């Protein structure tokens, strides 16, 4: 069973990346353009308003990049940092715990994007088209499944 799960891991990671990136981009689009219910106030954030407009721009751009798997690790690092900033500057002053201060989505996005920084985009990503060293998941499995040589 675990062998099958391990084989599916790069694809599950890619699906995770697409869903998280899409949801993040939707937050940015809602705040920037007033679509999908708009920002917290229900309208678009005024252009140049600190920090809301810049946060929404980061959400939209990094969300799209992560969804596509283009510059995933860098985009995810920026997104994770922006959510850490949002949590500690907006939510945490009200209360320590996310459930009490309304910062659940900031905390979850922060950690999800940080995970993508370390894991990479998964099996299906635009990055793979541009990487000279891109290997298929099958090639990665055979490389990782081999035991390392022990020097004599």
């Amino acid at each position: 069973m675990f062998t099958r799960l391990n084989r599916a891991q790069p694809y599950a990671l890619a699906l995770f990346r697409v869903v998280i990136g899409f949801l993040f981009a939707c937050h940015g689009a809602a705040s920037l353009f007033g679509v999908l219910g708009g920002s917290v106030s229900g309208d678009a954030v005024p252009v140049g308003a600190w920090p809301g407009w810049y946060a929404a721009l980061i959400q939209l751009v990094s969300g799209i990049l992560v969804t596509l798997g283009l510059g995933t690790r860098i985009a995810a690092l920026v997104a994770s940092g922006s959510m850490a900033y949002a949590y500690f500057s907006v939510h945490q002053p009200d209360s320590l715990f996310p459930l009490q201060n309304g910062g659940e989505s900031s905390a979850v996005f922060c950690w999800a994007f940080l995970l993508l920084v370390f894991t990479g985009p998964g099996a299906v990503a635009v990055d793979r088209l541009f990487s000279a060293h891109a290997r298929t998941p099958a090639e990665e499995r055979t490389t990782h499944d081999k035991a390392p040589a022990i020097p004599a």
Side-chain angles (χ1 to χ4, degrees):
M1 179 172 130
F2 291 115
T3 304
R4 287 185 184 185
L5 290 173
N6 288 339
R7 284 189 197 136
Q9 185 177 5
Y11 299 100
L13 183 59
L15 182 60
F16 174 80
R17 184 200 80 237
V18 168
V19 170
I20 291 295
F22 176 73
L23 292 172
F24 202 58
C26 287
H27 275 276
S31 296
L32 286 176
F33 308 118
V35 297
L36 305 171
S39 66
V40 176
S41 66
D43 297 324
V45 175
V47 175
W50 177 259
W53 186 82
Y54 295 95
L57 186 63
I58 289 171
Q59 290 170 357
L60 180 64
V61 173
S62 61
I64 290 170
L65 290 174
V66 167
T67 300
L68 295 174
L70 182 61
T72 304
R73 289 181 173 197
I74 294 170
L77 182 63
V78 170
S80 179
S82 73
M83 288 295 95
Y85 176 83
Y87 182 78
F88 287 110
S89 68
V90 176
H91 300 287
Q92 195 272 331
D94 294 338
S95 176
L96 178 62
F97 297 108
L99 192 58
Q100 294 174 327
N101 64 27
E104 299 99 336
S105 63
S106 295
V108 169
F109 274 127
C110 178
W111 286 103
F113 284 119
L114 190 61
L115 178 66
L116 288 172
V117 170
F118 287 95
T119 61
V124 183
V126 174
D127 283 340
R128 291 189 164 277
L129 299 175
F130 299 112
S131 176
H133 302 294
R135 292 189 271 179
T136 66
E139 291 171 334
E140 288 179 10
R141 266 195 315 279
T142 58
T143 302
H144 294 300
D145 290 344
K146 294 179 183 174
I150 300 173

